[in-house]
Amino acid sequence: MDPGTDVDHVLQALGNVGRYQKFQLSMLFVFMLENAFHLIAANYISYRPDYNCKSVNATELIYNHYKSASNLSDIYVKYGKCEIDINANGTEYKFSQSCPNGYEYDIPTDRSTVTEWDLVCEGSARSELAQTMIMLGQAVGAAIFSPLSDRYGRRPINILSRSLYLIAGVTAMFSPSIAVFSVFRLLIGTFQGGSVMTGTTMCVELLPTEFRHKGEGLAFLAWTFGIVFTSVVGYICQNLPWRYFQMILGLLSWHVVFDWLFLDESLRWLLANGKTKQAMKIIKKAASWNNQSFESVMESVKKKQPLTSMELVIQTPEKPESNGDHQPLEGNGTAEVKQKVHKYSAFTILKHKKILIVSVLLWVIWITNTLTYYGLMLMTSKLAGDRYLNNILGALAEVPAIILQQLIINRIGRRYVLVMYHGLAGVTLIASSLCFTYSKQYDWLTPLSTFFSILGRFAAVGSFSSVFLYTPELYPTNLRNVGLGMASTISRIGSMISPFAATLADQVFWGPAVIFAVLNIICTIMLLTLPETMGRPLPTTVQQMKAWFKDKKLFDVRWPKHYRNRKEMSNNS
């Protein structure tokens, strides 16, 4: 077996989704579920309750403010959120002052970082900064850990990032100030970003072409249920100090110390990097788990037409091409390829014009997805009612979008699913804005505006889920996590801007929806310029990726040529 072996043939011979694949996917499901913990936890750990200035001794304040004050009478104090207004002797002594004795809240001060450190009024920006830091950390993590996983493997980098995620999550409970807590939020986001990128890639690479979408859908469902689980834990811990809640969320990832015993490396990565001995061990293990004969699996693979020749030649950015020498492997009759395997980097994307154009279009789509998704999610918190229940219901609303995506993405293709969801988001958010604009004249438009907003979030989740599958499929194996990582990193521009959607909504309620709608419509048009990946083996080299664009015409809405040919062959047979 050589690095040019079609991994899909191996996975199909092993039984597509057998007991081995299900076990690996179940572990990855748990890992992805835990990645949502600390992001959504900010709704509870940094909860801002109702507050007002604490009561004061008005007479003492007046004497301090007016040294010559005397014969005070008719003292009146008005307590606001951020200041107090004092009047005495009519208007003779009148002034305003920031809350001199601090603030009083409708919950105990140890329930939230906001109440413990008085992060309200002038200090409110520091609380928002802590949330921004975890978003920034996700970008940093994607940028750091994605190329590392392409170079050193998905498994070690995934376990490393989750181990650091566990440590940072637990130690954050000891933060003595908001500044230190913000640093921990940055670290948590960094390690979470690495775990998300490597985990999603492993889910996709574990399954053959026709099942790839199921791995990606499983990762997104895990994220959704992670939000629900965190809200349930938050509800149970609502009468505990926020530090205990932080500790519990961190300790829930304790099993990472044992995961290295059970989690296997990506078979695609091993073969693409010439590590055939390790690949053969995993194939033997998978065959045993799936009640398959290793010999029959290898025989089945040999009968398939290989996608690449045995003399696989890959060029590194730093060194010229070199052909590999083939030597026999001991004991299994297969060929071991000794060669310099291609190690792509982010510079590979910048060097090739077509790849760069595709990447830029993908980055715009990713920014739109993060801005729309997180913006709508943060605006959901403005709804009246219990915040725990609102977050649970908001997360559960994402499930139908993912289920629908899973049902149609292998029927109409990745590109058309993205076009459908982005188009739906654009139309529904414009409709929501129009309904709200005229809701003062017609009361029945108010609930309709809310409905269209929820439908917009439904569409945003569907497009977000689809682009997670579509993006890595466009890049060759050793550039796949770099491409996904760069897209995820740049998309954090949208997630960092998204908190301002709620601020804009306070001034112009329909403003965020219009911005989201316009961006989604632009993405709908851009997607028509990109190639379809459905039904294609994942590319292993830059040359294979470039070949995809030869048959692609600008704004071509037809089925891709490879899929049309497959359908014609099926009809003829």
Side-chain angles (χ1 to χ4, degrees), residues 210-502:
E210 62 271 25
F211 291 98
R212 286 200 302 253
H213 66 290
K214 294 186 182 297
E216 174 272 334
L218 183 72
F220 251 82
L221 279 176
W223 175 271
T224 297
F225 285 113
I227 295 175
V228 174
F229 182 80
T230 306
S231 298
V232 172
V233 175
Y235 178 79
I236 295 172
C237 299
Q238 62 181 311
N239 293 322
L240 295 177
W242 70 266
R243 296 178 186 274
Y244 291 173
F245 182 43
Q246 177 70 42
M247 178 188 67
I248 290 171
L249 289 181
L251 290 176
L252 285 172
S253 301
W254 64 270
H255 55 83
V256 68
V257 297
F258 301 106
D259 290 342
W260 64 275
L261 294 172
F262 308 103
L263 184 66
D264 288 334
E265 181 57 86
S266 165
L267 189 59
R268 294 183 189 275
W269 184 87
L270 289 173
L271 287 175
N273 287 272
K275 300 181 182 297
T276 53
K277 288 184 178 180
Q278 294 95 315
M280 295 299 290
K281 290 180 180 180
I282 292 178
I283 294 173
K284 287 181 180 179
K285 176 181 176 180
S288 176
W289 277 58
N290 292 351
N291 296 320
Q292 299 278 348
S293 167
F294 171 72
E295 290 74 16
S296 64
V297 169
M298 297 308 300
E299 185 65 28
S300 176
V301 172
K302 289 178 182 179
K303 291 180 181 179
K304 301 288 185 179
Q305 179 69 25
L307 293 180
T308 58
S309 91
M310 285 290 293
E311 297 199 7
L312 182 68
V313 179
I314 308 176
Q315 182 179 358
T316 62
E318 300 83 6
K319 298 180 181 181
E321 287 188 8
S322 61
N323 292 331
D325 299 325
H326 306 286
Q327 295 182 359
L329 255 180
E330 297 181 3
N332 54 28
T334 60
E336 173 78 51
V337 182
K338 293 182 67 176
Q339 57 176 16
K340 293 187 180 298
V341 180
H342 189 17
K343 300 293 184 182
Y344 295 122
S345 68
F347 293 104
T348 306
I349 294 176
L350 302 177
K351 280 171 48 179
H352 300 275
K353 181 179 178 181
K354 288 184 178 179
I355 299 178
L356 178 60
I357 292 173
V358 170
S359 298
V360 170
L361 294 177
L362 286 172
W363 297 341
V364 174
I365 294 169
W366 273 77
I367 291 173
T368 300
N369 276 322
T370 54
L371 177 60
T372 305
Y373 176 73
Y374 289 114
L376 291 174
M377 184 174 68
L378 292 174
M379 290 176 67
T380 301
S381 63
K382 289 182 169 290
L383 297 176
D386 183 82
R387 66 185 190 276
Y388 300 98
L389 181 60
N390 286 341
N391 277 292
I392 291 173
L393 294 178
L396 291 177
E398 300 178 5
V399 176
I402 300 173
I403 293 176
L404 177 62
Q405 180 241 26
Q406 291 293 297
L407 292 175
I408 65 177
I409 200 165
N410 251 19
R411 289 178 169 84
I412 67 175
R414 284 75 160 124
R415 190 173 60 133
Y416 290 109
V417 170
L418 281 165
V419 167
M420 180 191 74
Y421 275 124
H422 278 289
L424 179 62
V427 172
T428 54
L429 292 173
I430 287 177
S432 175
S433 299
L434 291 173
C435 289
F436 180 81
T437 301
Y438 295 100
S439 61
K440 293 182 180 179
Q441 302 176 30
Y442 307 99
D443 292 341
W444 57 272
L445 288 177
T446 300
L448 197 59
S449 175
T450 302
F451 169 76
F452 281 127
S453 294
I454 294 174
L455 196 57
R457 180 172 176 178
F458 168 92
V461 170
S463 62
F464 211 164
S465 175
S466 300
V467 81
F468 248 103
L469 173 66
Y470 185 57
T471 299
E473 288 185 341
L474 283 172
Y475 292 98
T477 302
N478 279 0
L479 190 60
R480 189 163 299 134
N481 238 25
V482 171
L484 182 61
M486 288 186 69
S488 179
T489 299
I490 293 174
S491 75
R492 298 307 160 189
I493 296 173
S495 60
M496 290 179 198
I497 296 174
S498 61
F500 294 98

Side-chain angles (χ1 to χ4, degrees), residues 54-76:
K54 282 184 177 180
S55 60
V56 298
N57 185 329
T59 302
E60 181 180 345
L61 286 177
I62 294 173
Y63 282 126
N64 289 337
H65 195 81
Y66 297 99
K67 302 300 182 182
S68 61
S70 62
N71 301 322
L72 298 179
S73 63
D74 299 326
I75 298 176
Y76 172 75

Side-chain angles (χ1 to χ4, degrees), residues 47-56 77-85 96-107 114-115 118-124 506:
Y47 173 60
R48 181 176 289 119
D50 289 334
Y51 62 93
N52 277 293
C53 292
K54 282 184 177 180
S55 60
V56 298
V77 181
K78 181 182 178 181
Y79 293 93
K81 286 185 174 295
C82 298
E83 64 180 16
I84 57 174
D85 298 322
S96 298
Q97 183 175 341
S98 299
C99 304
N101 292 343
Y103 310 89
E104 57 183 8
Y105 306 93
D106 62 358
I107 62 173
V114 170
T115 55
D118 286 335
L119 303 178
V120 294
C121 300
E122 295 87 353
S124 60
D506 290 336

